[in-house]
Amino acid sequence: MALAVYSPSAEEGRLLVLNDFFVDPAMRRKGVGRALATRLLEEAKAMRVERIDLEVTPTNAPAAAFWKSMGFRTGGRTVYGRDIV
Ligand SMILES: CC(C)(COP(=O)(O)OP(=O)(O)OC[C@H]1O[C@@H](n2cnc3c(N)ncnc32)[C@H](O)[C@@H]1OP(=O)(O)O)[C@@H](O)C(=O)NCCC(=O)NCCS
């Protein structure tokens, strides 16, 4: 399952933000995530999106390894957030 939203920015241009990305635990390490991410990249290209952003928690080493293997890199940015309710 992949859930990404189009998030245009005056500074950054045409972005997609990937909010959720999940492969059934029983189906992992079989190339499903790679196929899904490849499809996402193709659809983003067709939308003329310039970059895809996503967050990985510091303890999620498998996700970090996965996204690195897909060519994603950290940009030296720190995410700030605040709960409203
Ligand atoms: C991260 C996740 C999506 C990977 O999906 P997947 O279908 O298992 O990934 P793939 O089989 O396509 O793996 C592609 C490559 O990513 C890397 N990779 C994937 N899982 C890895 C792991 N647990 N440890 C190290 N490398 C890993 C490998 O390089 C792998 O290639 P290889 O199997 O030929 O070595 C999956 O583990 C998942 O759903 N995790 C829980 C949810 C999550 O953390 N989502 C990401 C939040 S941004």
Side-chain angles (χ1 to χ4, degrees), residues 21-23 28-31 33-34 55 60 62 65-67 69:
F21 194 91
F22 186 88
V23 172
R28 288 181 191 166
R29 292 311 288 267
K30 298 176 192 295
R34 185 187 300 277
E55 291 172 29
N60 194 349
F66 172 75
W67 289 113
S69 83

Side-chain angles (χ1 to χ4, degrees), residues 63-80:
F66 172 75
W67 289 113
K68 276 181 200 157
S69 83
M70 293 300 302
F72 285 67
R73 297 290 178 264
T74 57
R77 288 177 298 156
T78 302
V79 175
Y80 284 71

Side-chain angles (χ1 to χ4, degrees), residues 13-40:
R14 297 168 68 86
L15 304 183
L16 266 192
V17 177
L18 184 59
N19 287 335
D20 301 293
F21 194 91
F22 186 88
V23 172
D24 186 321
M27 296 296 291
R28 288 181 191 166
R29 292 311 288 267
K30 298 176 192 295
V32 175
R34 185 187 300 277
L36 186 57
T38 300
R39 170 70 182 267
L40 183 73

